[in-house]
Amino acid sequence: MENKTSRRDAIQQIAMVSVGLNLFSLTSCTGSKKQQENIKDTKILMPFSLPPLEPLQPGPVGVEISTWVRSSQTNMQYSSVEIAVAPKQMGAAPHLHRDLDELMLVLEGTVSVLVDNILYEVPAGGWQLRPRGIEHAFYN
């Protein structure tokens, strides 16, 4: 149980660092006048923290999802979800994201990810990036 808790802590820290990096890139941008005007219109993100939760377990249908950070909390720049998928279960039907890239960290087991008709096998500790606009699905 302690190992899963420390993994959750790592996910939380990664999420907070990602949000921080997105903020830094917004405030340190030295682009065109149009870009600078867009930055002025962006709401300032406020720091927030997330309480620890019990390790997520697959639900009655073999999948359980917990949203850690909603894109509405980060000016549509970032979101973070945790998904527990039972063995031999589909994580999500084929879909795509129009506004956000998706980055997956596999905590346990191996996840099969189908991206644009290419199958990736991602073992525990591995990462997989799916850029916005590309159809994908994953299963355990």
Side-chain angles (χ1 to χ4, degrees):
M1 178 89 75
E2 289 179 32
N3 194 20
K4 289 184 181 181
T5 302
S6 65
R7 288 179 183 170
R8 274 182 182 265
D9 293 341
I11 290 172
Q12 289 173 341
Q13 291 170 358
I14 290 167
M16 296 310 293
V17 168
S18 296
V19 169
L21 289 174
N22 280 332
L23 281 176
F24 177 75
S25 68
L26 277 177
T27 58
S28 65
C29 185
T30 58
S32 69
K33 186 175 180 179
K34 180 76 170 165
Q35 288 172 324
Q36 291 172 0
E37 288 172 7
N38 287 342
I39 291 169
K40 289 178 187 174
D41 292 339
T42 302
K43 290 170 51 179
I44 300 297
L45 294 180
M46 298 304 295
F48 61 92
S49 59
L50 304 168
L53 299 174
E54 290 297 315
L56 198 59
Q57 300 296 317
V61 295
V63 177
E64 189 66 38
I65 299 173
S66 177
T67 301
W68 283 88
V69 179
R70 296 185 183 284
S71 58
S72 61
Q73 293 172 281
T74 64
N75 293 334
M76 306 307 282
Q77 297 175 48
Y78 175 82
S79 66
S80 178
V81 298
E82 179 179 2
I83 303 174
V85 182
K88 299 184 181 184
Q89 292 292 314
M90 188 79 161
H95 65 285
L96 59 85
H97 307 277
R98 297 195 186 284
D99 300 321
L100 294 172
D101 301 330
E102 189 169 72
L103 180 63
M104 173 187 282
L105 167 62
V106 179
L107 297 178
E108 295 180 23
T110 298
V111 176
S112 299
V113 184
L114 183 63
V115 181
D116 208 20
N117 293 320
I118 300 171
L119 185 64
Y120 298 88
E121 297 291 329
V122 186
W127 294 79
Q128 207 274 331
L129 171 71
R130 296 176 292 280
R132 68 191 78 189
I134 298 176
E135 187 172 86
H136 59 277
F138 60 92
Y139 58 92
N140 184 355

